[in-house]
Amino acid sequence: MAQPASAQSLSLDDVISLSKTGIGDDAIIAKIRSSDTHIDLSVDQMVDLKTKGVSGPVIAALLAEKKPAEVKLSVDSPDPAVPHPAGVYLMDSAASKMMRIDPVVTNQAKTGGLLGYAFTAGIASMSVKASIQNPTARTHASEARPSFYFFFDESNPSVTSNTAAWASGTAATVTSPSEFTLVQLMAKKDRREARVGSVNIAGAKTGVMDKDQLKFDYKLVRPGVYLVQPMADLPKGEYGFMYSLTGGGAGGAITARIFDFSI
């Protein structure tokens, strides 16, 4: 099939022929810009074109760099090869689309086991919990082992506004799912909680307890894009991918950003 005229590159002979017809510089320049034409002309070629009737503006148009195509981002395409804004997405297989998860940030701390800690003079641990608003997540997964796609800044190198999704409070940004912890959140009446610290007579621990961490696996799909899946089915409940931000929250709780979802 014939290639569309707008996609054809112009040769120097084409440019010379058009110039000889007297069609005008504006038309020739418009054709150069609409086609995939950019030629790194030598001095001799420029002189030769001028002697054959090609004007200076047309020669300049041949030398002009083509502007890179604008990157169009999708927020719901199920294809990980399609550029998406940086962030975490839940794959909705039934609807054949991705759902972007808006993260929540918590730095409010609550304590649990305070009486046991007091009665045993610190032998029993007092837990520190990070509190998250709302009793359930806005994003719901219909599968017990859902699939997620993590889009990092590297996936869209030409987009300069990516880092807002991954700003960690320092000059560094998050670049891999290995920097996350998958946790089950404890549902309360008007909130959800995650244990992010403990205190006893032996000292204090900050971070998600080992027994509260859920294992997940991930693989690189393309630069900056990872497929992430839990390694076991998840029972109905509230969950979240969490990573710690710079600085500590109240009462020793870490300040964390959580990409929350429910099953």
Side-chain angles (χ1 to χ4, degrees):
M1 296 180 62
Q3 192 178 22
S6 60
Q8 294 176 351
S9 296
L10 296 178
S11 67
L12 294 182
D13 288 340
D14 293 332
V15 174
I16 294 170
S17 297
L18 289 171
S19 297
K20 288 181 177 179
T21 64
I23 196 172
D25 288 353
D26 290 343
I28 300 173
I29 292 172
K31 179 62 178 175
I32 291 171
R33 290 176 177 172
S34 66
S35 63
D36 187 21
T37 303
H38 167 72
I39 303 174
D40 188 12
L41 297 172
S42 67
V43 174
D44 289 341
Q45 286 176 313
M46 294 172 66
V47 171
D48 183 59
L49 288 172
K50 186 64 178 176
T51 59
K52 292 180 178 178
V54 180
S55 70
V58 171
I59 294 174
L62 287 171
L63 290 167
E65 290 284 354
K66 303 292 287 185
K67 293 183 178 179
E70 182 181 354
V71 176
K72 294 184 179 180
L73 303 179
S74 172
V75 294
D76 59 4
S77 172
D79 185 358
V82 173
H84 289 65
V88 176
Y89 295 78
L90 169 66
M91 173 60 78
D92 186 346
S93 300
S96 187
K97 67 177 184 179
M98 291 190 193
M99 296 187 293
R100 192 168 191 262
I101 301 177
D102 294 324
V104 294
V105 177
T106 176
N107 58 10
Q108 182 182 18
K110 294 181 178 292
T111 56
L114 183 59
L115 288 178
Y117 175 82
F119 288 149
T120 61
I123 296 177
S125 295
M126 174 181 65
S127 61
V128 181
K129 303 173 183 177
S131 180
I132 306 167
Q133 293 181 348
N134 301 322
T136 188
R138 297 178 60 185
T139 304
H140 303 275
S142 58
E143 300 173 306
R145 195 178 301 187
S147 298
F148 301 87
Y149 284 94
F150 285 47
F151 287 81
F152 295 102
D153 293 350
E154 188 183 1
S155 66
N156 300 315
S158 61
V159 179
T160 59
S161 59
N162 283 334
T163 54
W166 301 121
S168 62
T170 66
T173 58
V174 182
T175 59
S176 167
S178 63
E179 300 176 56
F180 287 80
T181 302
L182 177 58
V183 298
Q184 183 169 11
L185 305 174
M186 294 171 282
K188 302 296 180 180
K189 182 178 180 181
D190 59 350
R191 65 186 187 278
R192 290 157 291 157
E193 295 177 347
R195 286 185 289 191
V196 291
S198 65
V199 180
N200 59 25
I201 196 173
K205 294 181 179 179
T206 301
V208 179
M209 303 296 103
D210 291 343
K211 62 182 179 180
D212 293 337
Q213 299 183 23
L214 302 173
K215 293 183 179 181
F216 65 89
D217 194 13
Y218 63 89
K219 66 177 181 180
L220 182 66
V221 177
R222 64 179 178 87
V225 181
Y226 292 83
L227 170 63
V228 178
Q229 292 179 304
M231 296 183 69
D233 290 352
L234 303 178
K236 291 184 178 180
E238 300 291 323
Y239 300 87
F241 289 97
M242 174 189 299
Y243 71 87
S244 176
L245 302 177
T246 298
I254 61 173
T255 303
R257 180 168 291 162
I258 303 174
F259 294 84
D260 58 334
F261 65 96
S262 65
I263 300 291

